[in-house]
Every structure is written in structure tokens, then in C-alpha cells.
Amino acid sequence: MTSAGPKINLAAVEVAVGAILKYIDEDSGREGLWRTPERVAEMYGELFSGVGTDPAAEIDAIFSDDVTHDPVLVADLPFYSMCEHHLLPFFGRASLVYVPDRHIAGISKIARALETTARRLQVQERLTGQLADAVMFRVKPLAVACRVEAEHLCMSMRGIQKPGHRVITTAIRQGPGGGENGATPAYTPSDLLGLLNNRG
């Protein structure tokens, strides 16, 4: 995913970055900064390529043959996102488990949904919920739980300056009682969180 989202005006970003450089560096005209606005605009086009895209739309491979009600766990998917409060990155790993009802998803599509949620201005709590919601909407499982663990550079390199910290967020979603085919969930939210927290 490298193309810019539909809401990003890269030319305007380039102009804005040039203005910022002018005000933070007394020697903003030096050779090393000549193409910096262009490079930053291109980078933002990549980092924010999820803007305007529905994460659920990335889950476009759904299968219905031989589906059981056993949990499906996708663990330790790496991601990078950008904190909307300070425009600094936060990064880490996401894990997700769901209990199928009638469908299962292509595993790589869950990773793509994560990329779409991450490549926009974000907060970790919302990213976690958006990933769980995307799987809930497209796969319609009996239940889904998501766990995200990340380090935030806005806490590591500024402010309180605590490098190596970890922020952990979780999101749990449950389908309507009985599921689409009358199945009763055999796993409670606590069971799903246990699978995420004790997968090693």
C-alpha cells in the first residue's frame, strides 16, 4: 500500500513542510533541505494511504467451506501508525482471535485491514476497535477479540521520555446470540483474551 489516500493534497503538504522548515531552522536554504518538503510529502502519501479507505473492504476473501467454531488466532502482526496528537509514530504488534460462525477470512486480508487502520492519523484505542469492527462486519464471527501492544514516540522521545514502554489496548465484539446458523458461542470474552495474552 503506497498510493496516497483520496483526501491528501501532497502539493499542499509540500508547501506546508517548506514553511515549517523556514521557521524552525535558521539555515533552511542549505543543500540538505532542498528536497526535504518533496520527500516528506511523498512519505506522508505512504504513511497516510489508509485515509478514506474502509478497513473492512480489505477483507475481500471470505470462505464458507468446512467452517468449524474453533478459534482462529492471528498473532504478532507488526504495524506502524502516526499519533494524531503530536504527529509522531507509534508502532508495535497486533493480535486478533475470532470464533467463526459460517465464514472464515483469508489471513493476509486481516493483515491488510490492519495496515489500512494504521496508515492514517490515529490513536491506539481507536485503531484496536476499528480492526475488531472490520472483522466483525465482514466475517460475522460469533465473537472477535483484538489486542494491540505499542510504543509511542511521543512518550519515548519527548515529554515524560520513557523509551521502551508498552501501551496495551484490547477490543472485544460479540455477534447476536446464536449466530447466523444458531450456533452458541463456546468461548467467553475472557477466554478469547486469554488466548491472546497466553499465546506463547
Side-chain angles (χ1 to χ4, degrees):
M1 182 186 302
T2 58
S3 61
K7 296 182 180 179
I8 300 177
N9 185 332
L10 296 185
V13 171
E14 185 173 338
V15 172
V17 171
I20 291 172
L21 290 175
K22 178 180 178 181
Y23 290 108
I24 65 174
D25 194 307
E26 61 183 13
D27 187 20
S28 60
R30 66 179 181 272
E31 182 180 6
L33 295 176
W34 284 354
R35 294 191 59 226
T36 296
E38 176 187 350
R39 288 189 289 262
V40 172
E42 290 177 355
M43 177 187 69
Y44 279 179
E46 181 177 355
L47 296 182
F48 301 138
S49 57
V51 173
T53 302
D54 181 1
E58 299 291 342
I59 308 176
D60 57 2
I62 304 294
F63 307 99
S64 303
D65 293 338
D66 301 320
V67 174
T68 70
H69 302 308
D70 298 317
V72 177
L73 172 62
V74 184
D76 295 328
L77 294 171
F79 74 92
Y80 298 85
S81 191
M82 190 74 77
C83 172
E84 66 183 33
H85 299 145
H86 295 97
L87 295 185
L88 285 172
F90 66 95
F91 58 94
R93 295 181 179 274
S95 298
L96 181 141
V97 59
Y98 70 93
V99 181
D101 183 15
R102 299 176 62 182
H103 314 289
I104 57 175
I107 298 301
S108 67
K109 305 304 182 179
I110 294 176
R112 289 185 182 275
L114 171 63
E115 284 294 293
T116 300
T117 60
R119 291 183 179 268
R120 60 185 70 186
L121 292 174
Q122 269 290 16
V123 295
Q124 183 175 330
E125 295 87 344
R126 184 168 65 229
L127 183 154
T128 308
Q130 287 177 342
L131 180 58
D133 289 338
V135 173
M136 198 74 210
F137 179 77
R138 287 290 291 141
V139 187
K140 295 179 172 56
L142 297 173
V144 60
C146 182
R147 182 183 190 272
V148 174
E149 183 173 341
E151 178 174 354
H152 294 243
L153 291 189
C154 59
M155 284 183 61
S156 297
M157 64 184 294
R158 61 159 298 282
I160 195 170
Q161 297 185 25
K162 297 297 181 183
H165 72 275
R166 289 292 182 270
V167 177
I168 299 172
T169 50
T170 58
I172 300 172
R173 305 289 187 265
Q174 290 184 285
E180 289 187 6
N181 63 358
T184 300
Y187 295 85
T188 67
S190 295
D191 292 333
L192 296 183
L193 287 178
L195 288 173
L196 291 176
N197 293 330
N198 301 301
R199 61 191 182 281

